[in-house]
Amino acid sequence: MPSITEDRLAELADNWNAETSAPDMQEWRDDLTPEEAKIIDGWDGVYAVGVHNICRDIIAQCREGERHG
């Protein structure tokens, strides 16, 4: 079973952290191994949950402000 080196993991993290919605900034995903893709999918999932939680908290604060405003 292949394993990802620390250097490769750091490279993936750098790419992931620098990624934008521009198509050319996402090209690095095209060459991921299945093992690497699984890791990136996990990072994407955690990010999506975090964004969801932030949005939920903002909405809750807005509603609270409307009730007490």
Side-chain angles (χ1 to χ4, degrees), residues 17-63:
N17 285 314
E19 189 175 58
T20 68
S21 60
D24 63 325
M25 293 297 292
Q26 297 177 9
E27 290 176 353
W28 65 274
R29 289 176 179 252
D30 295 340
D31 298 321
L32 297 175
T33 67
E35 184 180 15
E36 293 168 346
K38 216 176 204 182
I39 290 169
I40 301 305
D41 286 345
W43 292 349
D44 289 344
V46 170
Y47 179 83
V49 168
V51 170
H52 170 82
N53 290 341
I54 289 169
C55 293
R56 181 198 61 214
D57 293 348
I58 290 169
I59 290 169
Q61 288 293 318
C62 289
R63 288 181 178 155

Side-chain angles (χ1 to χ4, degrees), residues 1-4 34-35 38:
M1 174 170 223
S3 95
I4 301 171
E35 184 180 15
K38 216 176 204 182

